């Protein structure tokens, strides 16, 4: 069985974008790979170092979310990044193999720096050494567990390329030691936000979270963007540009969606009624996930057990890799 590794920054709860995106891929691959899932708290701290409470809380929040969407702790090694100091140790050694210029050219880092400049309105002076270097730390995440395959979205590809460069450089200097990872590019399309934005996200305020309660969901759906040309209840409209229909297609039944689409086109369906039907469908869709999550909410010791077990598995693997690396680098005193 091949080893697969991926990570997730614990900075907020999972939303539907995660459920239908990475979450879907992860549910599928858990049966076919030896799957290490890193809760990347150290990486989350690179740009949340001034809010440790948030990171700590979200380590448990996203673990519960991941269990609720059907990742099986018998199959997946859930582990906390900061509990594996070998990753930090590898990061130090790898940092000699990467130039600052190369990190500054990394497209993912570049985009994130641009977003920060926009957000904080400064000239990038606040970019820390730790943030600039997080691709190096991510290369350590992957290689520490000899990850052969890494499931990624498009936005993470430059980070994987950077990892492969580090592996090749390491192996060429110190001898064949590290495993060069392959990508498993996600086939699931990105889920749009309730406002029609191409991306669903916390900062955009357009996401439905798996933990959202009935009232929150009702408010969010009532505010979703519909066909702007439809003014009156019985105006015909175009469901293909309506976010309410878009979400019906995600969570409602196929036969209902056909009816909804036809009624909408003929002007036989008001948006309010349509939204109410979506609220119902969303409720039904989320109920089993929330039910499962409630179990872990009420049994935090079970969550700890999952994390402890996974972290123990990860530790074993990390110690093995570290030994090989130190031998190769002639620092195995
Ligand atoms: N950078 C990823 C993200 O922001 C999280 C991550 C951390 C990761 N370590 C990883 C992804 C290793 C793939 C492999 O979502």
């Amino acid at each position: 069985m091949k080893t697969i590794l991926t990570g997730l920054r614990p900075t907020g709860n999972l939303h539907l974008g995660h459920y239908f995106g990475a979450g879907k891929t992860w549910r599928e691959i858990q049966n076919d790979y030896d799957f290490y899932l890193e809760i990347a708290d150290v990486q989350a701290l690179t740009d949340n170092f001034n809010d440790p409470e948030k990171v700590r809380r979200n380590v448990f929040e996203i673990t519960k979310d991941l269990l609720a969407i059907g990742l099986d702790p018998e199959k997946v090694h859930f582990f906390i990044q900061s509990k594996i100091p070998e990753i930090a140790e590898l990061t130090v050694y790898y940092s000699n193999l990467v130039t600052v210029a190369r990190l500054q050219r990394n497209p993912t880092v570049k985009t994130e720096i641009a977003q920060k400049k926009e957000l904080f309105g400064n000239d990038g002076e606040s970019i820390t050494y730790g943030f600039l270097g997080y691709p190096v730390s991510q290369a350590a995440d992957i290689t520490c567990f000899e990850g052969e395959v890494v499931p990624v979205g498009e936005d993470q590809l430059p980070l994987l390329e950077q990892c492969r460069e580090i592996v090749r450089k390491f192996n060429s200097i110190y001898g064949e030691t590290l495993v060069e990872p392959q990508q498993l590019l996600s086939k699931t399309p990105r889920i749009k936000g309730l406002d029609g934005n191409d991306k669903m996200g916390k900062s955009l305020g357009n996401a439905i979270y798996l933990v959202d309660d009935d009232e929150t969901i009702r408010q969010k759906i009532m505010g979703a963007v519909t066909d702007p040309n439809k003014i009156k209840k019985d105006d015909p409209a175009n469901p293909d540009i309506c976010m309410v229909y878009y979400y019906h297609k995600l969570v409602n039944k196929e036969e209902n969606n056909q009816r909804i689409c036809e009624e909408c086109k003929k002007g036989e369906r008001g948006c309010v009624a349509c939204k109410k039907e979506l609220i119902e469908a969303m409720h039904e869709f989320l109920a089993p996930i929330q039910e499962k999550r409630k179990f872990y909410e009420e049994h935090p010791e079970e969550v700890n057990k999952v994390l402890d077990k996974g972290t123990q598995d990860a530790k074993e693997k990390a110690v093995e890799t570290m030994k090989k690396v130190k031998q190769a680098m002639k620092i195995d005193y």
Side-chain angles (χ1 to χ4, degrees):
M1 214 186 242
K2 281 195 176 175
T3 301
I4 204 158
L5 180 129
T6 194
L8 193 61
R9 297 185 196 192
T11 52
N13 281 104
L14 299 193
H15 50 59
L16 286 181
H18 295 114
Y19 180 90
F20 290 107
K24 182 161 184 277
T25 310
W26 298 351
R27 277 193 298 283
E28 287 166 5
I29 59 181
Q30 63 179 333
N31 301 312
D32 308 328
Y33 293 89
D34 190 21
F35 187 1
Y36 287 85
L37 209 175
E38 176 184 275
I39 313 295
D41 61 337
V42 178
Q43 189 176 111
L45 283 166
T46 59
D47 55 356
N48 292 277
F49 57 86
N50 52 2
D51 200 351
E53 265 310 318
K54 170 174 137 185
V55 175
R56 186 188 178 91
R57 176 168 31 88
N58 281 303
V59 165
F60 299 101
E61 286 299 300
I62 64 164
T63 305
K64 283 182 275 188
D65 286 344
L66 290 166
L67 291 166
I69 65 167
L71 292 185
D72 180 350
E74 296 290 320
K75 294 178 182 151
V76 181
H77 315 281
F78 290 87
F79 70 98
I80 304 178
Q81 186 182 11
S82 61
K83 299 259 289 188
I84 311 291
E86 285 79 1
I87 299 172
E89 208 177 342
L90 282 177
T91 305
V92 174
Y93 300 138
Y94 294 173
S95 64
N96 296 328
L97 311 177
V98 187
T99 63
V100 174
R102 174 66 180 87
L103 286 169
Q104 283 168 333
R105 275 201 309 270
N106 183 308
T108 309
V109 174
K110 248 167 116 175
T111 310
E112 285 172 335
I113 289 179
Q115 282 165 354
K116 283 181 202 303
K117 282 185 187 168
E118 204 174 303
L119 220 61
F120 305 123
N122 61 30
D123 56 3
E125 284 294 303
S126 66
I127 302 302
T128 62
Y129 164 63
F131 178 77
L132 184 66
Y134 96 77
V136 185
S137 163
Q138 186 155 321
D141 293 343
I142 297 165
T143 52
C144 192
F145 308 96
E146 306 196 311
E148 296 165 273
V149 183
V150 180
V152 282
E154 293 275 353
D155 61 323
Q156 295 283 308
L157 279 177
L159 294 173
L160 201 58
E161 191 45 44
Q162 182 113 51
C163 173
R164 285 195 281 254
E165 279 175 35
I166 292 171
V167 168
R168 288 196 287 266
K169 184 119 194 206
F170 187 103
N171 288 348
S172 75
I173 299 173
Y174 305 114
E176 277 305 311
T177 312
L178 302 175
V179 176
E180 200 173 319
Q182 299 303 309
Q183 69 220 31
L184 181 70
L185 201 56
S186 170
K187 287 184 294 264
T188 50
R190 185 171 256 176
I191 302 299
K192 292 185 188 184
L194 289 163
D195 57 355
N197 195 306
D198 269 346
K199 195 176 172 193
M200 178 180 274
K202 190 177 191 175
S203 52
L204 299 162
N206 61 3
I208 290 184
Y209 291 88
L210 303 175
V211 290
D212 279 349
D213 60 24
D214 293 354
E215 181 51 23
T216 309
I217 288 169
R218 194 189 66 79
Q219 280 176 16
K220 285 181 178 174
I221 291 179
M222 289 318 274
V225 169
T226 54
D227 179 351
N229 293 319
K230 179 169 166 118
I231 314 285
K232 293 195 291 336
K233 193 169 136 230
D234 46 10
D235 284 344
N238 177 4
D240 294 332
I241 57 167
C242 172
M243 294 320 293
V244 177
Y245 182 59
Y246 179 88
Y247 278 90
H248 270 298
K249 280 192 291 186
L250 286 175
V251 302
N252 207 338
K253 294 190 190 74
E254 176 60 30
E255 70 258 31
N256 289 343
N257 295 338
Q258 265 176 20
R259 170 179 52 81
I260 291 165
C261 182
E262 278 160 28
E263 287 176 2
C264 175
K265 281 182 180 160
K266 286 193 222 147
E268 290 169 358
R269 157 173 287 261
C271 291
V272 173
C274 193
K275 285 174 175 174
K276 284 190 176 150
E277 189 171 340
L278 177 60
I279 291 166
E280 277 309 307
M282 189 66 74
H283 184 68
E284 245 176 73
F285 173 79
L286 288 175
I289 298 170
Q290 296 189 340
E291 184 67 29
K292 196 152 185 204
R293 200 179 188 288
K294 201 162 146 241
F295 168 81
Y296 289 105
E297 202 71 68
E298 287 165 358
H299 298 88
E301 72 284 0
E302 290 297 322
V303 180
N304 289 334
K305 229 192 259 172
V306 168
L307 287 169
D308 285 349
K309 173 74 176 67
T311 302
Q312 208 178 319
D313 299 339
K315 178 78 184 180
E316 273 171 34
K317 192 94 190 172
V319 167
E320 261 175 52
T321 305
M322 210 58 230
K323 213 167 152 189
K324 288 187 212 168
V325 164
K326 287 195 162 180
Q327 256 171 16
M329 293 182 72
K330 309 210 179 300
I331 49 174
D332 53 335
Y333 303 106

